[in-house]
């Protein structure tokens, strides 16, 4: 029992009951006889004491045990590699029907004709209370992480059912292709191929690579000199025609191969005919400059040039002669470099740091004004603003940026024009200052963006330390640069697509529309026309926040041309649908992987003729007992209320019996 008041308040409740009974039956001289009077006083004392005690809001605490059936997740591999095996008709349905009454079953499938990601299937219920997982698969995966590593983190046994055939079959396959998806025109781009062959010793084959017009670009004769043959081939192909170009790799088919579909592979390369130049003006040497330059040039369509302010101020460098698309000003204007007018006609990205002269920066009328009365600096981290709508920024990238170390930002208060949008706000310790950290604007006819803090080199380094990749930081910089450098006169209607999509995935197209004042709007409709080799269709964008979004249906592989129109505005482009054929590159089941998964998690490996043993194993799982504490108010307990009524009713009956109420 628990009450919200000190324990001695119970004494006051007893005194209240005694006082009420004494006044009623002794002070008032209502005597029914000594014994009856005492009994009536006791009944009234107990009833009033209980009622007074209930005013203290007491609660009862009970320990409750709940029994719950074990939760078992059953995962069925529905990939093409299983469909091509003798186990193509096998399902876990019969097992589900047999034990569904004694266990809570989640029966799901994974994999398709293009790819298999076992790790994704295993993690679907990673946050649930799962007693066991049954994985029916051939062990072949071509997407995601190593399933054995993922399974080890589940905290429950994984029972595997081995499907497919581990027997080697006569076959040759283009097992892997590695190529840059972007290349510059009039240059060569590298390509690497992996070719695997089994049971074809002594057989020769011809490898050819051709363009969309059927012109042969590369030919090589290959001799399979082992029954388990594998080789890597590296070459370079010419990028002579701009645009998204299709290339086809073919490996001649030998007699008796189990399938010929894995002997052909198509890929697309976006060939760029020009590079956009970015001027990176700096007050002084700083590690930020190298980080920004490398991030910008991670996109092959951009080239960055670092220019010290001394050279620009002395006239040794002329922006007009270099055809720049964007000026990045790092710690400029500064106290030592004030009289520089090199970027007035360019879109500008300001990196505001400890050497920036804030008063001179404010005089540029960029739309951002920083009021500071001290030379102090703040250590600030990033907090993503989900309302930012000038361009799409992926949620995983935002989470990565939020985890980056702090930047050093001059202390001050921001005053912003209404057209500035904040991509990230500055967080000082755990507090959101609601001041901009990274922001952008479409002010007038020239775009501007801002990074209020220096030390972004730490972000790029931290990005690599956390995931062995610079992709999150590089994507932030390239998207910010691409947005700022965009020419608004030609780009009021902007359409974003990937260069290529995998066949089977949903192609997502995004669009943004600006009015004549270059303010973001989504009032007008945007129509979308799509044309492919055998496809011609019309769609309309759906509104998504302040922008637009279009989810296209499943499209066959090929090259597609699109045209988006809204009134007299239009945007055109191309993208490709690629058939990955990952499932056909390997058809030999990997039962060793399944055995490893079971052994490391405390499960077992079963074959399709051992389902009765698996059933016995699963039904032996004991129910889960959950123990928790339940609190109940005494005032809501029926027995307490019944006791009070019983006491008062007994008192009333006695008084009635002895002649008075």
């Amino acid at each position: 029992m628990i009450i919200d008041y000190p324990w001695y308040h119970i004494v006051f409740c007893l005194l209240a009951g005694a006082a009420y009974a004494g006044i009623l039956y002794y002070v008032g001289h209502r005597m029914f006889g000594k014994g009856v009077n005492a009994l009536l006083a006791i009944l009234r004392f107990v009833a009033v004491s209980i009622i007074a005690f209930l005013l203290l809001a007491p609660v009862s605490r009970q320990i409750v045990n709940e029994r719950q059936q074990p939760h078992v997740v059953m995962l069925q591999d529905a990939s093409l590699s299983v469909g091509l095996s003798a186990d193509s008709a096998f399902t876990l349905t019969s097992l589900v029907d047999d034990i569904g009454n004694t266990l809570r079953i989640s029966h799901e499938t994974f994999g398709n004709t293009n790819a298999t990601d076992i790790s994704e299937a295993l993690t679907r219920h990673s946050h649930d209370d799962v007693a066991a997982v049954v994985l029916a698969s051939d062990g072949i995966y071509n997407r995601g992480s190593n399933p054995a590593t993922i399974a080890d983190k589940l905290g429950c046994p994984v029972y595997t059912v081995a499907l497919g055939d581990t027997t080697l079959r006569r076959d040759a396959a283009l097992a892997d292709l590695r190529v840059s998806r972007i290349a510059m025109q009039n240059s060569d781009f590298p390509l690497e191929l992996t070719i695997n062959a089994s049971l074809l010793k002594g057989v020769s084959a011809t490898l050819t690579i051709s363009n969309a017009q059927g012109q042969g670009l590369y030919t090589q004769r290959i001799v399979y000199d082992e029954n388990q043959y594998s080789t890597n081939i590296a070459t370079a192909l010419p990028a002579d025609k701009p645009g998204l170009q299709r290339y086809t790799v073919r490996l001649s088919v030998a007699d008796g191969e189990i399938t010929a579909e894995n002997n052909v592979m198509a890929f697309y390369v976006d060939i760029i005919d020009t590079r956009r130049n970015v001027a990176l003006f700096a007050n002084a040497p700083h590690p930020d400059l190298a980080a920004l330059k490398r991030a910008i040039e991670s996109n092959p369509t951009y080239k960055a040039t670092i220019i010290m302010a001394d050279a620009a101020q002395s006239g040794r460098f002329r922006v007009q002669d270099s055809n720049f698309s964007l000026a990045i000003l790092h710690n400029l204007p500064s106290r030592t470099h004030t009289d520089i007018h090199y970027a007035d006609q360019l879109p500008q990205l300001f990196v505001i740091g400890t050497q920036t002269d804030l008063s001179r920066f404010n005089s540029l009328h960029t739309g951002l004004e920083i009021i500071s009365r001290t030379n102090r600096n703040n250590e600030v981290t990033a907090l993503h603003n989900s309302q930012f709508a000038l361009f799409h920024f992926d949620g995983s990238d935002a989470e990565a940026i939020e985890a980056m170390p702090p930047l050093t930002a001059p202390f001050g208060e921001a005053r912003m024009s209404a057209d500035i949008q904040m991509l990230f706000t500055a967080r000082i310790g755990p507090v959101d200052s609601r001041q901009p950290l990274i922001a952008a604007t479409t002010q007038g006819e020239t775009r501007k963006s801002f990074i209020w803090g220096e030390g972004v080199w730490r972000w790029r380094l931290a990005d690599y330390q956390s995931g062995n990749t610079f992709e999150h930081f590089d994507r932030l910089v390239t998207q910010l640069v691409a947005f700022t450098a965009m020419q608004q006169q030609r780009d009021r209607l902007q359409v974003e697509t990937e260069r290529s999509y995998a066949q089977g995935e949903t192609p997502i197209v995004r669009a943004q529309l600006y009015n004549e004042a270059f303010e973001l709007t989504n009032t007008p409709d945007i129509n979308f026309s799509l044309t492919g080799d055998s496809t011609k269709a019309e769609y309309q964008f759906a509104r998504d926040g302040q922008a637009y979004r279009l989810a296209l249906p499943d499209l066959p592989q090929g090259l597609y041309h699109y045209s988006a129109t809204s009134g007299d505005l239009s945007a055109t482009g191309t993208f490709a649908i690629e058939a990955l054929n990952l499932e056909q590159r390997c058809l030999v089941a990997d039962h060793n992987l399944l055995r490893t998964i079971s052994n490391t998690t405390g499960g077992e490996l079963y074959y399709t003729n051992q389902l009765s043993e698996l059933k016995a194993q699963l039904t032996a799982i004991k129910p889960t007992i959950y123990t928790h504490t339940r609190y109940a108010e005494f005032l809501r307990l029926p027995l307490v209320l019944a006791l009070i009524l019983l006491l008062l009713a007994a008192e009333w009956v006695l008084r009635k019996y002895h002649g008075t109420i």
Side-chain angles (χ1 to χ4, degrees):
M1 180 181 66
I2 301 173
I3 60 176
D4 293 334
Y5 300 89
W7 65 270
Y8 54 78
H9 281 67
I10 299 176
V11 176
F12 297 144
C13 297
L14 297 174
L15 292 175
Y20 199 109
I23 293 172
L24 183 62
Y25 289 107
Y26 291 99
V27 176
H29 303 292
R30 297 193 177 195
M31 304 298 292
F32 301 96
K34 187 175 181 181
V36 173
N37 213 49
L39 180 59
L40 289 171
I42 292 172
L43 290 174
R44 180 58 62 100
F45 164 75
V46 174
V48 172
S49 296
I50 292 175
I51 292 172
F53 177 69
L54 292 178
L55 295 177
L56 300 180
V59 295
S60 66
R61 180 171 60 187
Q62 299 176 327
I63 304 300
V64 180
N65 294 323
E66 291 187 2
R67 183 186 181 95
Q68 191 174 82
Q69 289 181 319
H71 181 196
V72 176
V73 176
M74 296 196 178
L75 302 174
Q76 174 76 51
D77 192 338
S79 63
L80 179 64
S81 59
V82 171
L84 294 176
S85 71
D87 295 320
S88 59
F90 174 84
T91 69
L92 292 170
T93 304
S94 60
L95 182 61
V96 173
D97 293 340
D98 288 343
I99 64 177
N101 294 329
T102 58
L103 301 171
R104 290 186 298 125
I105 305 295
S106 296
H107 186 202
E108 302 171 2
T109 62
F110 65 94
N112 51 48
T113 58
N114 291 309
T116 305
D117 188 346
I118 299 178
S119 61
E120 184 276 332
L122 290 173
T123 55
R124 290 177 189 171
H125 295 272
S126 58
H127 298 294
D128 298 342
D129 186 11
V130 177
V133 174
V134 177
L135 174 65
S137 174
D138 57 8
I140 301 173
Y141 71 96
N142 36 55
R143 283 275 182 87
S145 306
N146 187 335
T149 303
I150 301 299
D152 191 37
K153 300 177 182 178
L154 295 179
C156 67
V158 179
Y159 300 97
T160 54
V161 179
L163 305 180
D165 191 351
T166 58
T167 305
L168 289 178
R169 288 173 283 187
R170 189 177 174 90
D171 190 35
L174 298 170
D176 194 17
L177 181 147
R178 299 166 295 281
V179 63
S180 172
R181 296 297 178 170
I182 303 175
M184 303 308 300
Q185 188 180 10
N186 300 322
S187 64
D188 293 338
F189 61 90
L191 176 144
E192 292 184 5
L193 283 167
T194 298
I195 298 175
N196 294 336
S198 58
L199 303 182
L200 288 172
K201 184 176 181 179
V203 177
S204 63
T206 302
L207 175 72
T208 60
I209 304 176
S210 58
N211 58 21
Q213 292 72 41
Q215 178 185 3
L217 304 177
Y218 178 83
T219 302
Q220 180 175 330
R221 183 174 178 270
I222 299 171
V223 177
Y224 308 128
D225 53 12
E226 297 178 359
N227 272 329
Q228 280 290 89
Y229 178 86
S230 181
T231 187
N232 291 321
I233 295 176
T235 185
L237 302 179
D240 51 6
K241 186 178 180 181
L244 193 61
Q245 302 297 325
R246 174 188 170 100
Y247 299 88
T248 304
V249 184
R250 295 183 184 276
L251 182 65
S252 59
V253 181
D255 292 339
E257 286 194 44
I258 186 174
T259 179
E261 294 187 15
N262 53 14
N263 292 55
V264 181
M265 187 181 299
F267 65 95
Y268 294 83
V269 176
D270 195 3
I271 298 177
I272 309 299
D273 58 352
T274 59
R275 299 185 76 177
R276 305 182 78 173
N277 295 310
V278 175
L280 219 170
F281 291 98
N283 175 64
H286 195 286
D288 280 356
L289 304 178
L292 290 170
K293 177 179 172 65
R294 292 191 179 104
I296 293 168
E297 293 183 346
S298 67
N299 184 339
T301 62
Y302 285 91
K303 181 180 185 300
T305 302
I306 298 175
I307 306 164
M308 290 298 118
D310 287 333
Q313 192 168 23
S314 64
R316 296 196 303 271
F317 197 93
R318 290 171 56 94
V319 173
Q320 292 84 349
D321 297 337
S322 304
N323 192 28
F324 285 107
S325 301
L326 171 69
I328 299 178
L329 298 100
H330 188 278
N331 269 316
L332 289 172
S334 67
R335 296 179 183 86
T336 54
H337 299 97
T338 59
D339 190 22
I340 302 176
H341 304 285
Y342 41 74
D344 292 346
Q345 79 282 19
L346 290 176
Q348 300 157 1
L349 191 162
F350 292 90
V351 180
I352 304 166
T354 58
Q355 300 301 312
T356 302
D357 188 327
L358 296 181
S359 62
R360 289 186 169 87
F361 169 78
N362 293 339
S363 68
L364 297 178
H365 304 294
T366 61
L368 172 64
E369 185 178 1
I370 301 175
I371 307 302
S372 177
R373 298 178 179 84
T374 177
N375 291 326
R376 290 194 299 113
N377 300 315
N378 285 328
E379 297 294 310
V380 296
T381 54
L383 183 64
H384 183 235
N385 174 25
S386 60
Q387 302 303 312
F388 182 84
L390 293 181
F391 56 83
H392 174 70
F393 194 69
D394 189 78
S396 62
D397 291 334
E399 291 179 5
I401 298 301
E402 287 183 335
M404 299 296 183
L407 302 182
T408 303
F411 178 84
E413 178 184 352
R415 296 177 182 174
M416 298 181 292
S417 60
D419 51 14
I420 288 184
Q421 293 193 35
M422 294 183 289
L423 175 58
F424 288 95
T425 58
R427 182 167 48 189
I428 304 174
V431 179
D432 179 10
S433 69
R434 301 189 182 276
Q435 301 286 328
L437 180 64
I438 299 179
T441 178
T442 56
Q443 181 189 75
E445 294 186 356
T446 302
R447 297 185 175 191
K448 292 180 175 64
S449 53
F450 312 90
I451 301 176
W452 188 354
E454 64 179 62
V456 292
W457 65 271
R458 298 189 189 93
W459 283 11
R460 197 165 195 266
L461 181 61
D463 197 12
Y464 188 81
Q465 289 174 334
S466 64
N468 292 327
T469 176
F470 302 109
E471 63 178 359
H472 299 298
F473 175 78
D474 288 356
R475 197 147 44 223
L476 168 66
V477 173
T478 54
Q479 285 191 251
L480 198 60
V481 165
F483 168 80
T484 312
M486 194 172 295
Q487 295 298 315
Q488 293 190 15
Q489 287 88 343
R490 298 198 304 265
D491 297 322
R492 281 178 51 200
L493 175 58
Q494 304 163 21
V495 177
E496 298 178 24
T497 67
E498 300 292 338
R499 293 181 177 86
S500 63
Y501 301 90
Q503 189 175 13
E505 73 171 299
T506 301
I508 301 297
V509 183
R510 302 180 187 275
Q512 293 176 328
L513 183 64
Y514 293 84
N515 60 24
E516 293 183 357
F518 295 104
E519 298 169 332
L520 199 63
T521 179
N522 68 352
T523 302
D525 292 334
I526 300 181
N527 298 313
F528 189 83
S529 299
L530 186 66
T531 304
D533 294 337
S534 58
T535 302
K536 189 171 184 180
E538 300 286 335
Y539 304 94
Q540 189 174 84
F541 279 91
R543 289 162 178 82
D544 183 24
Q546 290 185 286
Y548 298 83
R549 183 179 184 273
L550 173 62
L552 295 172
D554 189 10
L555 298 170
Q557 62 173 304
L559 186 64
Y560 291 84
H561 301 270
Y562 68 82
S563 173
T565 58
S566 179
D568 58 353
L569 301 176
S570 65
T572 60
T574 58
F575 64 84
I577 302 294
E578 295 191 70
L580 299 180
N581 296 328
L582 297 178
E583 282 295 301
Q584 298 170 352
R585 297 180 189 178
C586 179
L587 299 175
V588 180
D590 187 355
H591 291 174
N592 287 330
L593 173 65
L594 301 178
R595 186 172 287 104
T596 299
I597 291 175
S598 294
N599 291 342
T600 57
T601 60
E604 292 185 40
L605 172 69
Y606 296 92
Y607 291 92
T608 55
N609 59 354
Q610 297 177 305
L611 288 188
S612 59
E613 299 175 29
L614 175 58
K615 174 184 175 182
Q617 184 76 52
L618 295 175
T619 53
I621 299 176
K622 296 181 179 180
T624 304
I625 305 297
Y626 292 95
T627 301
H628 62 89
T629 302
R630 185 167 62 192
Y631 296 90
E633 296 180 2
F634 269 72
L635 186 61
R636 298 181 182 274
L637 294 178
L639 290 179
V640 175
L641 298 178
L643 176 60
I644 294 173
L645 291 175
L646 180 62
L647 291 170
L648 296 176
E651 181 186 3
W652 181 86
V653 170
L654 283 173
R655 289 171 63 100
K656 185 71 173 176
Y657 180 78
H658 289 281
T660 182
I661 296 300

